[in-house]
Amino acid sequence: MSKAYEMVIGLETHVELRTRSKVFCACENAFGAEPNTHVCPVCMGLPGALPVFNEQVLRYAAMAGMALGCHVHHRSRFDRKNYFYPDLPKAYQISQFYRPLCEGGALTIQTSQGEKRVGITRIHIEEDAGKLLHDDQSGTALDMNRCGVPLIEIVSEPDIRSAEEAVAYLRKLRAILTYTGVSDCRMNEGSMRCDVNLSVRKPGEPFGVRTEMKNLNSFQSVDRAIEAEYRRQVEALEAGEGVVQETRRYDQKTGKTTSMRRKENSADYRYFPDPDLPEIYLSDAEMADIRASIPALPDERRVRYMQQYGLTAYAAEQLTAERWLAEYFERAAGLAQSPVALCNLILGEVFAQITLRDTAHTGERGPEALPIAPEHLAALSDMIGAGKVNSSTGKKILAALFDQDQDPAAYAQAHDLFTLTDPAALEAAAREALENNPDMVQTYLSGKTSVEKALMGKAMALTRGKADPEALRQKLLKLLGEQE
């Protein structure tokens, strides 16, 4: 495939807000309830039912806009977006088109190519639609619980040029929004969903015809869908075919995108101001109060971690991706002798244990994923750093702490896991390893020194993995030298 084409990507991200009730009625805003139990005449779109705006939605939407560097307008209003679909009972969606709440923000992402700024065109408030449930036996059913759940739609500028940048943007967006508390952004529950607008062009040329891939709800899906659609569009252009403006679906099983319907333009939606809802207004005092409630955000913490703890930019970015993780690290770092060693433990073995135990394979972490007290993880990091336990036994202790949180030193003592440093014991293990493996010894003596690692493994096994690795290695090399 030709490398002459570049991607041009803009993202529309829909984020459900964490209010107790829906945006225009008093129904509970909660995930996972029995179908059609959190509904009323308003969110069902029954004749004569009138919407009443939830003020907390306005505060959360404004907070999100401020956190993303947008200009938040004092005045905005709602419009009706008209289209026909089974999960939209009114046949229109209450949204904001002409006068959105927020405009003109940006966020900075870190990629393998360095730092990049991605612009944000607008953030507007809207209501969610219902959900179609497909079953091979009973057909398609309609769950209206999600109707009227408050959303913000965050529309990026077409500044993104790769799948890596798109995923980095979404991860950063998720981090900022979860820091503010406006949403839990659980992609596996649909509270953060992404539409990808993608076109291709040769550098310097005008934008090409774009397609839209709807409702991608994982970082992996976004990455794979972008790569698949890029290949499809380039292949079409190189074959002399045109690209049609349309909405497409990404199929995880086939790894391909397929056409859903013709892509609508704004004129197709016949927007007009909603006559049932008044203009919404934020005073200067309300703006100041919302701004004061925004906590320290990921970028601020990332810079501080680099300065205060000596972390790399990459490590600081990883630790600040989730607010709960950043707060956990700060508590543990205040108790650890080496914050850098603690950071390495978290990014390495701790993350590995979390991934291993994520049986649902959601890829999303929360505080419950790390059930170890910060003081215990700090103590384990110090034990490894001081050589009291080696990396192998450190992994065993960490796994045990995930199963049942406890003092790591007490666990190491009870299970005889402290590092073996006794010179006589180390020499005995090394000597036994050489005696049990004469072929390996001869291979080493013939000049193939790479076999040293295998001999180390044999010797380490004789100590049940407890030996100080470097001290054992020195004993092994000394004994090998005596045989030359």
Side-chain angles (χ1 to χ4, degrees), residues 364-407:
E364 297 184 24
R365 299 187 296 258
E368 68 282 353
L370 182 46
I372 303 174
E375 58 269 24
H376 290 163
L377 193 65
L380 178 59
S381 175
D382 290 347
M383 287 166 60
I384 296 171
K388 293 181 179 179
V389 295
N390 60 34
S391 60
S392 176
T393 50
K395 291 179 184 179
K396 293 179 182 178
I397 297 170
L398 181 67
L401 266 55
F402 264 89
D403 292 332
Q404 182 179 352
D405 188 26
Q406 56 193 294
D407 176 51

Side-chain angles (χ1 to χ4, degrees), residues 88 138 163-164 278:
L88 196 69
S138 57
E164 181 193 8

